[in-house]
Amino acid sequence: MTLTRELQGTAAIEAMFARAKAENRAAFLPYFCIGYPNRQESLRAIESVAAAGVDGFEIGMPFSDPIADGPTIQAATQIALENGTTVRVCLDAVETLREKGLSQPMLMMGYANPLLAYGADRFVRDACEAGADGLIVPDLPPEEAALFADSCAREGLALVFFLAPTSNDKRIAMATANATGFIYVVSLTGITGARKELPAYLTDYIARLRAKTGVPLVLGFGISSPAHARQLRNLTDGFIVASALIRAWERGFDDMRALAAEICEAIRE
């Protein structure tokens, strides 16, 4: 590493939420898959969006069976795999981004199988050394938290767990007891993908979770526009945009950069 950041890991994520809260808004964390459409262009996209003023990143590591993801992300991750993008390539990409000066928190998002094949302890150690701040594993239930929890605690990395509208009180308690950094709140039952409207029940849903935990809540699945960002500005602690940015990228680099900038502007109005 050639760049030393003042804060890393969970401390960097806490500072991110504190800054957003002080500005009376939610934090914006875009998703990008390393290796799509190729390694260099994925880094270019992340650098460009970082310059637009986003708060953090969900860094996608491609997997052949991304069960939580919709067709847009599935297609992108398949191309990334065909380009030879491995876990190691993704870690190297984060290190490169840090060397280029990007300081926003980065959470590695990937499925359990390739991470376990790489070695859980080894992955967490290498992720920390590369400059990552946390880990998001969609198919890791809190019952299996021990697979990564000790390593993340040792390295100071966040370990994020998911809650959905169908989560009962027992699941909420289990997820919030194990999560560090934030809870990934799934906005709807289903897979990722851009939607025209966010669910009408979001306010009650978020209030239900807030009553049970003080862990920051970051909403994902279906968020696709500046209008959605305005709607979430004072509802959640953060939100993730994925498929909409990939679709914008498919229309052209300038469209992707413009969408990110418009969302950044919407939460700061």
Side-chain angles (χ1 to χ4, degrees):
M1 289 290 296
T2 60
L3 174 70
T4 300
R5 292 182 294 148
E6 183 177 350
L7 297 173
Q8 298 184 13
T10 54
I13 294 169
E14 289 169 3
M16 174 190 73
F17 287 123
R19 284 192 298 271
K21 184 176 181 180
E23 296 174 6
N24 193 34
R25 62 177 180 83
F28 172 27
L29 294 90
Y31 164 95
F32 283 98
C33 177
I34 299 299
Y36 172 78
N38 56 57
R39 181 184 183 278
Q40 198 59 39
E41 287 300 297
S42 63
L43 297 186
R44 180 187 178 213
I46 293 169
E47 287 183 79
S48 175
V49 173
V54 305
D55 297 285
F57 286 97
E58 184 180 16
I59 302 294
M61 298 179 286
F63 179 51
S64 59
D65 189 20
I67 57 174
D69 295 317
T72 300
I73 295 179
Q74 285 186 28
T77 56
Q78 182 59 39
I79 290 170
L81 288 172
E82 291 170 358
N83 287 335
T85 307
T86 63
V87 170
R88 183 66 256 178
V89 168
C90 294
L91 292 171
D92 290 344
V94 169
E95 184 166 5
T96 297
L97 290 166
R98 293 301 186 206
E99 290 171 347
K100 288 175 175 287
L102 271 70
S103 61
Q104 288 97 332
M106 297 186 191
L107 291 103
M108 309 297 292
M109 185 280 196
Y111 290 82
N113 197 349
L115 302 185
L116 294 175
Y118 187 93
D121 288 344
R122 177 187 170 211
F123 173 78
V124 173
R125 182 186 66 249
D126 289 355
C128 183
E129 290 179 357
D133 299 287
L135 179 59
I136 301 172
V137 187
D139 58 346
L140 178 71
E143 292 91 339
E144 303 296 331
L147 289 171
F148 293 96
D150 289 345
S151 298
C152 284
R154 182 182 66 245
E155 301 294 344
L157 297 189
L159 182 58
V160 173
F161 286 95
F162 288 68
L163 287 172
T166 54
S167 298
N168 59 31
D169 288 348
K170 181 179 179 181
R171 299 298 300 174
I172 293 171
M174 188 176 296
T176 57
N178 286 282
T180 53
F182 60 85
I183 292 285
Y184 193 125
V185 181
V186 177
S187 68
L188 43 80
T189 54
I191 55 177
T192 62
R195 269 79 172 181
K196 292 183 178 179
E197 302 291 339
L198 295 179
Y201 55 71
L202 271 185
T203 299
D204 291 341
Y205 173 30
I206 296 298
R208 176 183 170 221
L209 298 181
R210 289 239 187 256
K212 298 180 182 300
T213 181
V215 179
L217 304 177
V218 174
L219 194 74
F221 288 45
I223 303 161
S224 60
S225 68
H228 290 167
R230 292 187 192 96
Q231 183 178 340
L232 298 173
R233 175 175 174 168
N234 299 119
L235 182 63
T236 63
D237 299 292
F239 60 92
I240 293 169
V241 179
S243 296
L245 284 168
I246 294 173
R247 289 184 180 179
W249 172 271
E250 291 168 351
R251 296 191 299 270
F253 179 81
D254 289 342
D255 279 18
M256 179 274 301
R257 183 170 50 187
L259 176 59
E262 288 165 6
I263 291 173
C264 286
E265 182 179 353
I267 57 175
R268 291 177 168 88
E269 291 176 347

